[in-house]
Amino acid sequence: MSQNSEVTNAKSPHRSLHGRHRLDRWFVRFCQATAMVSVIMLAIMLTAVFYQGLPGFSWRFVSSAPSATPSEAGIRPALFGSMWVCGVCALFALPIGVSTAIFLEEFKPRRRVMRWFHSFIQLNISNLAGVPSVVYGIIGLTAFAGMFGIMGQTNEAAFEVGATYFDQFVSEGDRILLVPADAAGAPEPILKSGLVALTSSGESVQVNVIGAKSRLPKQADVRAVTLREDAEAGRISKKTWYYFRLPLGRGVLTGGLTLMLVVLPIVIIASQESLRAVPNSLREGSLGMGATQWQTVQNVTLPSAIPGIMTGAILAMSRAIGEAAPVLIICGIVYIGSNPSNLMDDFSVMPLQIFNWAARPQAEFHSVAAQGIIVLLSLLLSFNAVAVLIRNRTQKTLS
């Protein structure tokens, strides 16, 4: 018995080492199998998308507006809408996110109260990273689109600049006549002969008003500017590129700011990790040479952390491009036939448009949805390529 126990103890280290090596090999194979399954699933999905979308894919699809006919449907307004919204999102999210990360990592307070406040901000940022995006959509609708009801309603601007309103009539000669209005809520004009109106081409004309049951003029040019006294108009607006209003409404700016809320925690946390990875010896060397805290951040810490910050920005913008739930709450509509022309204009985005096509029962629209996915992937890869190029160039400069 004693001899068997000694033999077992003498062999156990060898078997234990062998078992650990075997376990190590199994774990490596498990990781390889998991990665392989993920790649295969991704390849299958991409193959299915390209198989369904590539046969009908053309430049006409990219440059056309949505249509009820599958063969004429295009993604141009949604493509430009995604570019506008993501541009606004990046414009606000990156400076605010990087600045917040610098404050949290490089300017840690020494006073107890301020340290508590510092920890409170850090805790909230960590929690906000896990909040569902649909919640941000509701916040954006309340805070940006309606501004908590403090400055009027979402659909009625309390203040605006860059908009001109008209009352649109159709004359007895089937000509569009636009009578200028003072404001969006101004009463309709009193129709009388000599009233000045604009045609759809911008020509100024004088309106000829006749009774409700009077005979029409025989001359075609006079009939083209003739309105009956009981004619009804529709209020329309023409907006310039700098059009701005308060509350912000359901436009591009509100969509971009809402997506900023979604990606801001990602940018902050990624930037913090990058700043934390910079060796303290660099900071101590800079401070030891007499540089101030801000000079150390500006010349030493931040340039060293830019590659990591750019990586976080890539991940954040990738998520922003693919988000649909908060945008659906903000814009509230899925059909837009024109590109956004200003920051307050209505918009749609590619994920929303693709969802609309995929949800339709006609099989032809499913192929159109696959074409939309190809455009979305192309735009996403283009954004990522530009960000990676900037990151690599920054790395070379520092080295």
Side-chain angles (χ1 to χ4, degrees):
M1 182 69 181
S2 175
Q3 289 180 350
N4 292 336
S5 176
E6 289 178 359
V7 171
T8 303
N9 292 333
K11 292 183 177 178
S12 60
H14 175 71
R15 289 201 298 268
S16 176
L17 182 61
H18 179 72
R20 281 185 288 163
H21 280 294
R22 187 171 54 186
L23 182 62
D24 182 69
R25 289 194 297 273
W26 286 354
F27 181 73
V28 171
R29 289 168 184 167
F30 173 76
C31 293
Q32 290 174 341
T34 305
M36 187 63 68
V37 169
S38 303
V39 172
I40 290 173
M41 291 179 64
L42 178 63
I44 291 173
M45 288 190 290
L46 290 178
T47 302
V49 168
F50 280 95
Y51 177 78
Q52 197 171 11
L54 274 182
F57 190 83
S58 65
W59 177 250
R60 187 205 54 75
F61 172 75
V62 180
S63 59
S64 300
S67 172
T69 306
S71 59
E72 299 176 359
I75 201 172
R76 176 176 48 81
L79 173 63
F80 278 89
S82 288
M83 295 173 66
W84 273 75
V85 170
C86 291
V88 171
C89 173
L91 189 65
F92 285 93
L94 297 184
I96 295 175
V98 175
S99 301
T100 305
I102 291 174
F103 166 72
L104 293 174
E105 285 299 319
E106 303 297 327
F107 296 92
K108 294 181 179 177
R110 297 179 180 178
R111 297 175 56 186
R112 183 176 180 181
V113 176
M114 294 305 296
R115 284 204 306 270
W116 179 87
F117 179 68
H118 187 277
S119 302
F120 178 75
I121 295 176
Q122 182 67 65
L123 177 63
N124 278 278
I125 291 172
S126 302
N127 291 332
L128 287 174
V131 174
S133 59
V134 67
V135 177
Y136 287 109
I138 297 172
I139 295 173
L141 183 64
T142 306
F144 301 128
M147 290 189 167
F148 304 99
I150 297 175
M151 302 188 68
Q153 302 298 319
T154 303
N155 298 325
E156 296 180 5
F159 167 79
E160 62 182 358
V161 61
T164 307
Y165 290 91
F166 298 91
D167 288 306
Q168 178 174 284
F169 293 90
V170 179
S171 73
E172 298 302 320
D174 295 333
R175 192 174 186 182
I176 299 296
L177 298 178
L178 303 174
V179 178
D182 295 332
E188 289 189 9
I190 300 175
L191 294 180
K192 58 183 179 181
S193 295
L195 183 68
V196 177
L198 300 175
T199 64
S200 55
S201 61
E203 180 186 0
S204 178
V205 296
Q206 289 187 339
V207 178
N208 177 41
V209 180
I210 61 176
K213 297 183 179 178
S214 300
R215 288 188 175 183
L216 292 174
K218 295 182 179 178
Q219 299 89 343
D221 56 339
V222 177
R223 190 183 303 177
V225 296
T226 297
L227 296 176
R228 294 191 182 274
E229 60 183 6
D230 59 348
E232 294 184 356
R235 183 64 52 85
I236 65 170
S237 63
K238 291 187 177 181
K239 299 169 183 174
T240 58
W241 63 269
Y242 58 86
Y243 174 65
F244 183 79
R245 54 160 287 180
L246 291 175
L248 299 179
R250 297 171 180 265
V252 171
L253 184 58
T254 299
L257 293 176
T258 303
L259 285 182
M260 177 201 71
L261 296 179
V262 176
V263 305
L264 197 56
I266 302 175
V267 176
I268 294 174
I269 293 174
S271 301
Q272 279 188 276
E273 293 295 334
S274 302
L275 292 170
R276 208 173 291 157
V278 177
N280 281 329
S281 58
L282 295 179
R283 297 184 181 85
E284 294 169 356
S286 176
L287 295 173
M289 294 177 67
T292 63
Q293 188 77 19
W294 167 242
Q295 287 174 325
T296 301
V297 171
Q298 182 183 11
N299 300 320
V300 177
T301 312
L302 189 57
S304 302
I306 278 183
I309 293 174
M310 290 303 299
T311 303
I314 293 170
L315 297 174
M317 294 312 301
S318 299
R319 178 173 179 182
I321 293 174
E323 281 291 346
V327 179
L328 179 61
I329 293 176
I330 293 299
C331 63
I333 48 180
V334 294
Y335 178 81
I336 296 291
S338 59
N339 305 339
S341 58
N342 56 70
L343 290 176
M344 302 293 138
D345 215 347
D346 295 331
F347 71 100
S348 181
V349 293
M350 285 190 289
L352 209 57
Q353 186 63 64
I354 293 169
F355 171 75
N356 177 258
W357 285 328
R360 295 193 179 191
Q362 299 93 330
E364 293 83 0
F365 275 112
H366 298 169
S367 299
V368 178
Q371 297 173 31
I373 294 174
I374 294 174
V375 177
L376 178 60
L377 289 176
S378 302
L379 182 65
L380 177 63
L381 294 177
S382 301
F383 274 26
N384 289 354
V386 171
V388 170
L389 181 64
I390 295 173
R391 184 185 64 181
N392 292 340
R393 283 186 173 276
T394 309
Q395 275 183 318
K396 289 178 181 177
T397 302
L398 288 175
S399 62

